[in-house]
Amino acid sequence: MAKNVVVVGTQWGDEGKGKIVDWLTDHAKGVVRFQGGHNAGHTLVVGDKVYKLNLVPSGIVRDGVDCFIGNGVVLDIHHLLEEIKILEAGGIGDVRSRLKISPGCPIILPYHAALDNAREAAKCADTRIGTTGKGIGPSYEDKVARRALRVYDLFYPQRFAEKLKENLDYHNFVLTRYLGAAAVDHDAVLARAMADAEEIKPLVTDVSAALHAVNKAGHNLLFEGAQGALLDIDHGTYPFVTSSNCVAGQAAAGSGIGPGMLHYVLGITKAYCTRVGSGPFPSELDIESVGSPGYQMSLKGQEFGTVTGRKRRCGWLDIAALKRSIQINGVTGLCITKLDVLDGLGELKICVGYRLAGKIVDLLPMGADEVAACEPILETLPGWSASTAGAGTMADLPEAARAYLARVEALCEIPIDIVSTGPERRETVVHRHPLDS
């Protein structure tokens, strides 16, 4: 009988989901992306090779694993084709025969990125969202406004050209009159889109039907989330959020299946916290002072955005935020990543709640203003000096590291099923396998 697992980030993204999805695919037939766009960055380390993915699901580096891009993804086709070519040049076989794209994906076009960047430039520094500038938000806006061009429109050139003209009449007015930016040329966008259409056409598949067929045949599927639950458009620290639903429930809507096909939700969380871009971060630490805990997290954790290269902000693990993510995702079990980054710290702290408006709360509030007003309540735990890097069993971990994990379990009231102790596949401690349990 098939068992399907949703892998989601439980913080502000960058939790190490890509490695875990790749690791789990030895038990799966297919991997599905169901939201976001090429603002996602998943880094995979396989032996001496490093693969950086934005749109292609992380299962692509495993032979024989099919990869699906669901209708919930906004798709920059030009970027996807470049990513495919990089994978092919890197020795990954059968990429095009294993990659299936939903015809329902809204297309990101050059005017979306132009709008994204012009809007950010027009804002004051303290009101900027910190987007990647890839056009993700404007593309989702077009989808909700029912003016999006979708993958299936590419195969009707006259209709595509007419819709494109309507969209550019509207968006160029905004770009030139309101934002003081240059207009986007219709003919140039059309020519590139039509060229991309010829190359992408063989990959387009009824993803919903294909997933039902895989499930009916008794094969396991993985659903790979992008970003993190605290960036969810509905449940995150709004407005400092991404433009899509990042929670596990979106796996159904964003790929065309029913929720009854989702059997286990694996929540990925770092052993500490990071956030890239703007927005409140209650447990944030100073990352510039040499020798400080935040500095170690930043340096040893190599905390730079895969997509943007921006330095990530770092802080103590926030249990109150994690509990909110567990709640909105229906998390079955946790995977703790980057435990080894904490090696050598004399003492550790965990944020167990906040002081807010004279009260103590143990769950992250909704909305950026309330979160920004939260004063963290920190609990101190002993650190460890021995290395956890590369540990393969719980017994290989220092006693203090095991105690740290046990405390996280007790506070969250959810089991830790996997611990990642490094970027490579073998550097993984398994208590309970999501696809075997």
Side-chain angles (χ1 to χ4, degrees):
M1 183 177 176
K3 184 167 187 183
N4 304 322
V5 171
V6 188
V7 179
V8 291
T10 56
Q11 297 169 310
W12 287 280
D14 309 308
E15 299 94 347
K17 298 179 292 295
K19 177 222 166 156
I20 300 303
V21 170
D22 167 62
W23 180 82
L24 286 169
T25 49
D26 66 344
H27 283 56
K29 175 61 178 171
V31 180
V32 189
R33 266 288 302 276
F34 56 85
Q35 48 78 218
H38 63 308
N39 56 338
H42 294 170
T43 301
L44 311 181
V45 179
V46 183
D48 61 351
K49 292 187 176 181
V50 178
Y51 301 96
K52 294 182 182 293
L53 305 175
N54 302 130
L55 280 166
V56 178
S58 298
I60 201 69
V61 300
R62 292 267 192 183
D63 292 339
V65 174
D66 290 330
C67 292
F68 302 87
I69 296 178
N71 56 277
V73 174
V74 285
L75 190 63
D76 185 320
I77 295 174
H78 203 68
H79 181 96
L80 176 64
L81 292 170
E82 291 301 311
E83 194 171 323
I84 290 169
K85 290 169 187 172
I86 291 170
L87 287 166
E88 290 171 334
I92 302 299
D94 302 321
V95 175
R96 292 171 196 257
S97 65
R98 293 189 289 124
L99 184 60
K100 326 288 183 183
I101 299 166
S102 171
C105 291
I107 304 169
I108 298 176
L109 292 161
Y111 54 84
H112 293 123
L115 286 162
D116 206 352
N117 287 299
R119 287 174 182 169
E120 284 285 275
K123 292 178 181 177
C124 299
D126 60 352
T127 62
R128 289 174 186 158
I129 302 300
T131 78
T132 58
K134 304 288 186 180
I136 310 299
S139 181
Y140 274 116
E141 289 173 33
D142 274 2
K143 174 183 176 178
V144 174
R146 298 181 291 277
R147 58 172 169 257
L149 285 156
R150 303 172 88 172
V151 168
Y152 54 62
D153 289 313
L154 286 168
F155 310 125
Y156 301 90
Q158 183 175 349
R159 184 175 78 189
F160 187 95
E162 290 169 357
K163 286 186 174 183
L164 178 64
K165 183 179 185 305
E166 288 181 15
N167 280 2
L168 276 174
D169 285 347
Y170 172 73
H171 288 308
N172 276 336
F173 181 86
V174 175
L175 281 166
T176 58
R177 296 291 191 91
Y178 286 99
L179 297 171
V184 174
D185 182 70
H186 173 275
D187 292 345
V189 174
L190 179 62
R192 192 173 87 167
M194 291 298 100
D196 289 344
E198 290 303 309
E199 202 168 346
I200 207 76
K201 190 171 186 178
L203 283 63
V204 177
T205 305
D206 184 337
V207 166
S208 173
L211 295 178
H212 278 268
V214 172
N215 189 71
K216 188 175 181 180
H219 300 300
N220 299 334
L221 290 165
L222 292 172
F223 293 81
E224 177 182 27
Q227 290 85 45
L230 301 183
L231 293 176
D232 184 272
I233 187 68
D234 285 308
H235 300 285
T237 49
Y238 191 91
F240 298 97
V241 292
T242 194
S243 304
S244 62
N245 288 112
C246 312
V247 291
Q250 178 63 17
S255 55
I257 64 163
M261 274 179 60
L262 306 175
H263 306 121
Y264 177 111
V265 178
L266 181 64
I268 314 296
T269 183
K270 283 176 180 167
Y272 52 101
C273 274
T274 63
R275 179 165 196 166
V276 69
S278 305
F281 185 179
S283 67
E284 185 171 10
L285 293 167
D286 168 25
I287 62 171
E288 302 297 338
S289 299
V290 176
S292 68
Y295 181 84
Q296 174 167 319
M297 293 170 190
S298 177
L299 186 66
K300 192 171 180 179
Q302 299 181 40
E303 295 298 353
F304 297 89
T306 303
V307 175
T308 63
R310 290 179 294 182
K311 185 179 284 191
R312 297 178 186 136
R313 300 150 65 191
C314 299
W316 297 117
L317 181 61
D318 188 334
I319 297 296
L322 184 53
K323 285 165 68 176
R324 174 67 76 181
S325 286
I326 289 167
Q327 180 184 93
I328 61 179
N329 285 288
V331 170
T332 312
L334 290 172
C335 169
I336 305 293
T337 63
K338 290 196 169 183
L339 183 68
D340 55 301
V341 172
L342 301 182
D343 293 353
L345 290 177
E347 67 176 24
L348 305 173
K349 296 183 188 297
I350 297 177
C351 175
V352 295
Y354 318 110
R355 292 183 180 87
L356 175 63
K359 297 180 180 179
I360 292 177
V361 295
D362 65 353
L363 198 63
L364 187 79
M366 290 189 70
D369 292 339
E370 276 205 307
V371 177
C374 287
E375 178 189 347
I377 299 170
L378 300 174
E379 179 178 303
T380 302
L381 295 171
W384 54 88
S385 57
S387 175
T388 64
T393 69
M394 289 296 286
D396 295 332
L397 297 175
E399 183 179 350
R402 296 197 300 271
Y404 181 79
L405 296 174
R407 185 60 179 148
V408 172
E409 278 191 324
L411 289 167
C412 293
E413 299 180 313
I414 203 86
I416 294 174
D417 286 342
I418 302 172
V419 180
S420 175
T421 57
E424 295 192 21
R425 289 170 176 166
R426 60 179 175 79
E427 296 174 318
T428 309
V429 176
V430 185
H431 179 66
R432 180 176 61 154
H433 198 296
L435 287 167
D436 284 344
S437 56

